[in-house]
Amino acid sequence: MSSSYGGYGHQSQYAPSAPQQPPYSSYYQTSTSNVPPPSNSSSSYNYANVSSSGSSSFPPGTPQDVITSFQMVDRDRSGFIDERELQQALSSGFHRFNLSTIRLLMFLFKNPHQPLAVGPKEFAALWSCLGQWRGIFERYDKDRSGKIDPLELRDALYGIGYAVPGSVLQLLLSKYGDGSGRRVELCFDSFVECGMIIKGLTDKFKEKDTRYTGSATLSYDAFMTMVLPFLVSYD
Amino acid sequence: MSSSYGGYGHQSQYAPSAPQQPPYSSYYQTSTSNVPPPSNSSSSYNYANVSSSGSSSFPPGTPQDVITSFQMVDRDRSGFIDERELQQALSSGFHRFNLSTIRLLMFLFKNPHQPLAVGPKEFAALWSCLGQWRGIFERYDKDRSGKIDPLELRDALYGIGYAVPGSVLQLLLSKYGDGSGRRVELCFDSFVECGMIIKGLTDKFKEKDTRYTGSATLSYDAFMTMVLPFLVSYD
């Protein structure tokens, strides 16, 4: 796509008319979305209740290649894999993700009983979610460049129900890129990271904005607790 | 320090009595602080107005070693250094910072005219700020281990005016560590990163909580704009 990044200006031009909804609902949740946002079957992003105990197994119907990918890296048959192993396991089906993306994925899909490792259920949910993100990536990478440009990213997020203001996207994208100042293009790895950050933070905000007014009152604790999980560190 | 991490529970036991202040002000801003939080001379963290143009020079009184550290890495004499050069320049005076810390520092101290590079003024401000953080690190690393443990971190943040709830600190610290589940101890690099994240997010929140009630009403845009700068990416 050749149109300029700045061109998408006001979100209102992309907001669908949705008279049955409160006036600001379209602000961060579009209503024309025909594609559900990626989520796994158990609960969206599994912030909590993934499995009931330390021991877990693959859900019925898990494709064999998913099971094989997991088992190949779980060499000690502990039933859990760490971040490096997850990186390796996912690379067989998707992409060699950066460790920052892996850490974000681990956080979002963690098993509360084993927060530093991923078990079969979490792995299957994560794989399924990444498959959905890949479908979106391919659908919106219209020029088949293997990269998503800012306009394609905006369209992709809009397509799954998130009408993100241009200024917000620009700020997010300023964190990516090679430092040359050239227009940022996202590979699948960064696309997933951006998508999960936008979806995750927006969903968290919406939990506090139950009437969809476009604003929310947050305590300091709630604010910090919402935000800190999305910071990824390299110790 | 040997007392348990979970022991610091409710912030109220650390909150000073401050009858002259609104009731919740001590919630995230302690009033007994005898040490001002690190900030640079021009404006705190310089989210904006650092220098008026692309050309800049060191402020009067900048120590010679700071100037030398900058000039040694600015080989093309452009007057600006990039993230790798900044990493190298700071290592002469402080620590070899992780690139994630470097990116956060660059964001917080950036020159709005050269957002991808650091000029002399920004560098001098950053150096001075890091010197203050080092002073705090040394003051609170009471056992001189060269590492800050969770209780020392809490005390250090409290000492500069931030009474951070235990649950918030625990969440932040869960991002650090070697994955073994052992108690996290922070080296100077991670300490600076944690400190700047807490200070930065808290200060941003306080801007929206002008009456110091401990809660604030945020629009979705404002929320995202506050938060995204603290996400650091590795493309």
Side-chain angles (χ1 to χ4, degrees), chain A residues 27 98 116 165 175-177 179 181 190 197 202 205 214-221 223 227-231 233-235, chain B residues 27-28 98 116 165 168 175-177 179 190 197 202 205 214-221 223 227 229-231 233-235:
Chain A
Y27 198 61
N98 283 319
L116 298 169
K175 309 297 260 177
Y176 295 83
S190 303
I197 287 169
T202 304
F205 188 85
S215 77
T217 300
L218 307 172
S219 71
Y220 171 68
D221 279 31
F223 170 74
V227 170
L228 289 180
F230 292 92
L231 308 181
S233 133
Y234 281 79
D235 203 21
Chain B
Y27 196 62
Y28 49 80
N98 284 319
L116 299 168
V168 170
K175 309 297 260 180
Y176 295 83
S190 303
I197 286 169
T202 305
F205 188 86
S215 76
T217 300
L218 307 173
S219 71
Y220 171 69
D221 279 30
F223 170 74
V227 170
F230 292 92
L231 307 181
S233 133
Y234 281 80
D235 204 20

Side-chain angles (χ1 to χ4, degrees), chain A residues 27-28 98 100-101 103-104 107 110 116 162-165 167-169 171-172 174-182 184-187 189-190 193 197-198 201-202 204-205 214-221 223-235, chain B residues 27-28 98 100-101 103-104 107 110 116 162-165 167-169 171-172 174-182 184-187 189-190 193 197-198 201-202 204-205 214-221 223-235:
Chain A
Y27 198 61
Y28 50 81
N98 283 319
S100 69
T101 312
R103 287 195 169 187
L104 182 61
F107 181 84
K110 72 185 173 194
L116 298 169
Y162 298 85
V164 184
S167 58
V168 170
L169 268 190
L171 188 57
L172 178 61
S174 72
K175 309 297 260 177
Y176 295 83
D178 58 6
S180 68
R182 278 181 303 195
V184 175
E185 299 213 302
L186 302 178
C187 62
D189 181 328
S190 303
E193 198 175 291
I197 287 169
I198 291 287
L201 284 171
T202 304
K204 283 276 164 199
F205 188 85
S215 77
T217 300
L218 307 172
S219 71
Y220 171 68
D221 279 31
F223 170 74
M224 296 297 275
T225 305
M226 282 163 73
V227 170
L228 289 180
F230 292 92
L231 308 181
V232 176
S233 133
Y234 281 79
D235 203 21
Chain B
Y27 196 62
Y28 49 80
N98 284 319
S100 69
T101 314
R103 286 195 171 188
L104 181 62
F107 181 83
K110 72 185 174 196
L116 299 168
Y162 298 85
V164 185
S167 58
V168 170
L169 268 190
L171 188 58
L172 178 62
S174 72
K175 309 297 260 180
Y176 295 83
D178 58 7
S180 69
R182 279 180 303 196
V184 175
E185 299 212 302
L186 302 177
C187 63
D189 181 326
S190 303
E193 199 176 287
I197 286 169
I198 292 287
L201 284 172
T202 305
K204 283 278 164 196
F205 188 86
S215 76
T217 300
L218 307 173
S219 71
Y220 171 69
D221 279 30
F223 170 74
M224 296 296 276
T225 306
M226 282 163 74
V227 170
L228 289 179
F230 292 92
L231 307 181
V232 175
S233 133
Y234 281 80
D235 204 20

Side-chain angles (χ1 to χ4, degrees), chain A:
Chain A
M1 290 174 83
S2 62
S3 43
S4 77
Y5 177 45
Y8 61 88
H10 299 293
Q11 55 81 31
S12 58
Q13 77 186 94
Y14 297 97
S17 58
Q20 77 282 15
Q21 298 201 338
Y24 288 96
S25 70
S26 62
Y27 198 61
Y28 50 81
Q29 178 73 52
T30 61
S31 61
T32 54
S33 73
N34 47 9
V35 185
S39 80
N40 56 65
S41 54
S42 49
S43 80
S44 175
Y45 273 4
N46 276 337
Y47 281 108
N49 56 333
V50 179
S51 76
S52 57
S53 76
S55 69
S56 64
S57 56
F58 284 97
T62 303
Q64 187 55 45
D65 62 330
V66 179
I67 298 173
T68 305
S69 297
F70 183 89
Q71 289 174 340
M72 274 180 63
V73 299
D74 181 26
R75 295 202 188 85
D76 62 359
R77 301 282 174 208
S78 65
F80 287 98
I81 58 177
D82 68 17
E83 60 189 31
R84 297 273 175 192
E85 290 166 338
L86 179 62
Q87 188 180 41
Q88 195 186 335
L90 292 176
S91 68
S92 71
F94 294 94
H95 186 95
R96 189 174 167 81
F97 290 104
N98 283 319
L99 215 49
S100 69
T101 312
I102 291 289
R103 287 195 169 187
L104 182 61
L105 294 176
M106 285 191 81
F107 181 84
L108 296 175
F109 285 84
K110 72 185 173 194
N111 178 329
H113 302 280
Q114 292 274 353
L116 298 169
V118 164
K121 283 185 186 165
E122 298 78 65
F123 186 76
L126 176 49
W127 191 286
S128 161
C129 177
L130 288 173
Q132 293 176 57
W133 281 111
R134 185 165 55 190
I136 296 165
F137 185 87
E138 289 170 356
R139 191 176 313 126
Y140 286 91
D141 175 24
K142 297 203 176 81
D143 57 6
R144 298 267 175 259
S145 64
K147 299 267 190 177
I148 287 278
D149 71 23
L151 282 169
E152 290 166 341
L153 175 65
R154 181 210 61 192
D155 290 346
L157 291 170
Y158 189 80
I160 60 168
Y162 298 85
V164 184
S167 58
V168 170
L169 268 190
Q170 207 157 8
L171 188 57
L172 178 61
L173 287 169
S174 72
K175 309 297 260 177
Y176 295 83
D178 58 6
S180 68
R182 278 181 303 195
R183 198 173 64 145
V184 175
E185 299 213 302
L186 302 178
C187 62
F188 180 61
D189 181 328
S190 303
F191 171 75
V192 166
E193 198 175 291
C194 279
M196 288 196 169
I197 287 169
I198 291 287
K199 179 181 185 323
L201 284 171
T202 304
D203 290 351
K204 283 276 164 199
F205 188 85
K206 281 163 58 186
E207 283 173 19
K208 303 289 183 181
D209 177 23
T210 49
R211 292 170 57 214
Y212 292 85
T213 61
S215 77
T217 300
L218 307 172
S219 71
Y220 171 68
D221 279 31
F223 170 74
M224 296 297 275
T225 305
M226 282 163 73
V227 170
L228 289 180
F230 292 92
L231 308 181
V232 176
S233 133
Y234 281 79
D235 203 21

